[in-house]
Amino acid sequence: RLLEPCWGLARPPGACWSFARDRHLLVDVALHRRGGVAFSTRVEMATLSRAAFVLVFCSANSWLWEYEDTFHQCYSDINITGARAMARKGITLDDVSLRYCASRIPAVWPNTRTPVDSLRLFRSWERGWPEERRAEIWLALTRYVRRNRIKVLVATPISCSVADDDQDWEWTQMLIRRLGPDHIMGFAVGNELDLLYTHAKHDPGCLQRLWDGGGLWAQFTRRVQQVDEMGYSRIPVTSVFTGAVLYGGTSWAPFMNVPGKALVNDFLLNATKKYGYRFTFTFNIYTYFDPALVVNPPRHTCKSGLHIATCFDNHCLAIIAFQRSRRLMQRLTGRPDDRLWIGEIGWSSPKADALGTQMAYCPDFSSTSAFALFYGNFLRWDLSVSGVRDPDHVFYFTMRDALNFGNQEHFGLMDTCQSVECKIRTANYTAPPVLRGKYLPGMRITFFVVGAVLMAISCCNVCGARNAKVADNGEDSDSGDSASG
């Protein structure tokens, strides 16, 4: 139990040493003297034995840490306090973090001391990624999830290629089995398919097949049936859409429903009728890209636009979008309490390539200070939404900067896989050195040698004490015999 923080979190040897020191497992291993008289050899032996045990344990832990290459948190000199409702907030795992550094997913929210409780995946694997590394990456992800008791929203993508979709689903099934039922939060089929028309212009038949021809609905029900057969018939199911579907409806269809483009309302109506409360509405809300943000002084300025896009009060864009989501959901189903997840919400710094509103000409809008303001307000938001039921879960986008359909985005709370610093930090901050990978074998050997030496000293102390005691007993016996004679 005492050593669980070292072993359970697979911390570096230095952390084990600090832990042992803080728990008083290690005391001064030098010979203690009081008034020139040595302490009991038993005390010295016990002290050295404890030290040796912890050091040898940490040498083994350094091997574990070298193998897993774990990453507990990013470093920063800025700590955000006052985070609220964090059990209902999670982080999305971008493709960069999954492919290149699955073993370096922070266990705590950046710039806080709050543990991460949930994770959203966009895919399990991607064609073109090195197949020989898939087992290694999934092992790192699975260990992270189990070690930190993470709940995962798993997903299988939908595209214009049936063969590719079948391969994606096969990978998703394999990862679901690895994660296990205790760590599956829900199952998503497709992401932002309402935008497929912008990416499938070379294949107009794809839109006809998926939307107008009912291909998406058929594939969704087939995937849900298959995941049910795997033993997950009770988990929520969803398909994720952008916030744009909230504004493309009509008087009879609350959500976007445009033939040849995206029949989202038809899909949601079918899903809620077939699956009831099990189906979860999931929308990606980005106030950063909100087209309503304009620069028209004196009322609409860069400063006012930044304010309403980064806050979470009743007049703010995010809260207005959540309120609209709930009201449209109730119009569709007649129920006020359907499950609502926010699949993505976040901020970009520096400016995202895809930012096409007038805010692109406002220097402060995509600054690091604006990024920190949005993130801090998100952490402190208690998820309450005036007048309607709160969102049931919200995922922050995202762990690290990544590409999105070829556009460079900077929504990550960290910059790259090589970065140990959080993106939110002061300009002159330098992270402490971190021993990783190739440095750890030397530490393992060092700890083992020192531990072995201390154990040898302990043994010598024991032998010396026993010999001294035998000699003293012999002298006492001789003295007694002489006196008797």
Side-chain angles (χ1 to χ4, degrees):
R1 183 182 63 84
L2 288 174
L3 291 171
E4 187 274 334
C6 283
W7 183 261
L9 295 180
R11 292 182 178 177
C16 293
W17 183 278
S18 299
F19 170 79
R21 179 195 60 207
D22 293 342
R23 297 297 189 278
H24 304 291
L25 288 176
L26 295 182
V27 293
D28 186 0
V29 297
L31 292 178
H32 299 286
R33 295 184 178 276
R34 179 181 298 169
V37 179
F39 271 152
S40 160
T41 303
R42 181 180 299 176
V43 174
E44 295 172 359
M45 181 272 293
T47 297
L48 292 170
S49 297
R50 290 170 184 163
F53 173 76
V54 172
L55 288 173
V56 171
F57 175 84
C58 286
S59 72
N61 185 70
S62 73
W63 173 84
L64 175 67
W65 213 61
E66 176 192 8
Y67 181 69
E68 293 194 295
D69 199 26
T70 54
F71 186 75
H72 186 64
Q73 64 182 15
C74 59
Y75 294 94
S76 175
D77 55 346
I78 297 177
N79 184 49
I80 300 175
T81 59
R84 305 172 70 181
M86 299 306 289
R88 292 160 57 197
K89 296 175 182 176
I91 303 181
T92 64
L93 186 64
D94 54 274
D95 289 351
V96 168
S97 295
L98 178 59
R99 176 180 177 179
Y100 296 105
C101 46
S103 61
R104 304 191 70 187
I105 306 173
V108 300
W109 285 80
N111 301 97
T112 77
R113 297 180 180 178
T114 305
V116 175
D117 289 326
S118 56
L119 203 65
R120 180 193 167 196
L121 302 183
F122 295 102
R123 56 176 48 83
S124 301
W125 196 250
E126 176 68 84
R127 286 162 300 284
W129 292 3
E131 186 66 21
E132 65 275 8
R133 290 203 61 215
R134 179 161 55 85
E136 171 193 346
I137 290 172
W138 281 359
L139 177 61
L141 176 62
T142 303
R143 282 178 168 168
Y144 166 80
V145 167
R146 292 178 178 175
R147 182 169 56 246
N148 297 289
R149 299 177 178 88
I150 302 289
K151 292 288 188 178
V152 182
L153 173 57
V154 294
T156 186
I158 299 294
S159 68
C160 292
S161 171
V162 176
D164 289 348
D165 294 346
D166 289 341
Q167 178 62 77
D168 286 329
W169 170 235
E170 183 179 341
W171 284 327
T172 301
Q173 291 179 88
M174 294 168 65
L175 183 58
I176 288 175
R177 293 188 182 98
R178 282 175 173 261
L179 293 174
D182 293 338
H183 300 285
I184 303 299
M185 171 184 177
F187 175 55
V189 180
N191 180 58
E192 297 188 342
L193 290 175
D194 54 297
L195 295 183
L196 185 62
Y197 73 93
T198 65
H199 309 298
K201 296 178 181 179
H202 63 285
D203 186 6
C206 173
L207 294 175
Q208 174 65 31
R209 176 177 62 83
L210 284 178
W211 285 114
D212 301 76
L216 173 60
W217 174 243
Q219 197 157 344
F220 182 85
T221 55
R222 185 165 61 253
R223 296 295 186 240
V224 172
Q225 180 181 352
Q226 290 169 324
V227 84
D228 289 351
E229 292 171 353
M230 295 174 63
Y232 294 91
S233 59
R234 296 182 179 274
I235 64 171
V237 294
T238 187
S239 187
V240 184
F241 298 103
T242 71
V245 304
L246 305 175
Y247 300 91
T250 63
S251 57
W252 60 272
F255 297 95
M256 175 190 292
N257 218 54
V258 182
K261 187 176 181 179
L263 298 175
V264 177
N265 195 85
D266 288 351
F267 175 85
L268 294 176
L269 186 60
N270 290 333
T272 52
K273 285 183 176 179
K274 181 175 179 63
Y275 299 105
Y277 281 102
R278 185 187 179 192
F279 181 80
T280 301
F281 291 84
T282 307
F283 304 114
N284 297 338
I285 305 296
Y286 284 100
T287 58
Y288 179 83
F289 292 116
D290 198 314
L293 294 172
V294 296
V295 179
N296 186 19
R299 183 177 180 182
H300 301 290
T301 64
C302 289
K303 184 176 180 180
S304 65
L306 177 62
H307 169 68
I308 63 172
T310 56
C311 61
F312 287 84
D313 298 320
N314 290 336
H315 66 285
C316 303
L317 294 179
I319 300 301
I320 293 172
F322 302 148
Q323 291 171 332
R324 185 176 183 86
S325 301
R326 280 288 184 195
R327 288 166 182 155
L328 294 182
M329 290 163 56
Q330 186 168 356
R331 279 183 57 194
L332 184 74
T333 67
R335 302 186 295 257
D337 56 348
D338 285 293
R339 189 184 293 108
L340 171 62
W341 290 345
I342 305 303
E344 301 171 28
I345 190 169
W347 201 264
S348 180
S349 179
K351 182 172 70 71
D353 293 347
L355 181 61
T357 68
Q358 295 182 24
M359 293 297 105
Y361 303 100
C362 300
D364 291 340
F365 191 77
S366 299
S367 63
T368 304
S369 59
F371 183 92
L373 177 63
F374 181 89
Y375 180 56
N377 288 339
F378 169 80
L379 292 176
R380 298 184 186 100
W381 174 42
D382 62 0
L383 295 189
S384 62
V385 178
S386 177
V388 296
R389 177 177 166 174
D390 307 344
D392 295 277
H393 211 89
V394 182
F395 291 96
Y396 191 89
F397 185 86
T398 185
M399 198 72 69
R400 291 178 173 87
D401 293 347
L403 290 173
N404 182 27
F405 291 104
N407 294 317
Q408 180 63 52
E409 294 182 339
H410 304 276
F411 287 84
L413 294 168
M414 300 174 62
D415 294 315
T416 67
C417 283
Q418 289 70 39
S419 303
V420 296
E421 302 94 350
C422 307
K423 182 180 288 186
I424 301 174
R425 60 185 188 275
T426 59
N428 298 323
Y429 175 75
T430 301
V434 179
L435 293 178
R436 308 198 65 82
K438 63 181 181 180
Y439 299 104
L440 292 175
M443 293 190 68
R444 176 180 60 200
I445 295 172
T446 301
F447 275 115
F448 183 83
V449 169
V450 172
V453 169
L454 289 175
M455 282 187 173
I457 295 175
S458 298
C459 293
C460 291
N461 282 340
V462 173
C463 294
R466 288 180 177 176
N467 292 335
K469 186 175 182 179
V470 170
D472 290 342
N473 290 339
E475 291 177 359
D476 293 341
S477 177
D478 291 342
S479 299
D481 294 341
S482 300
S484 298

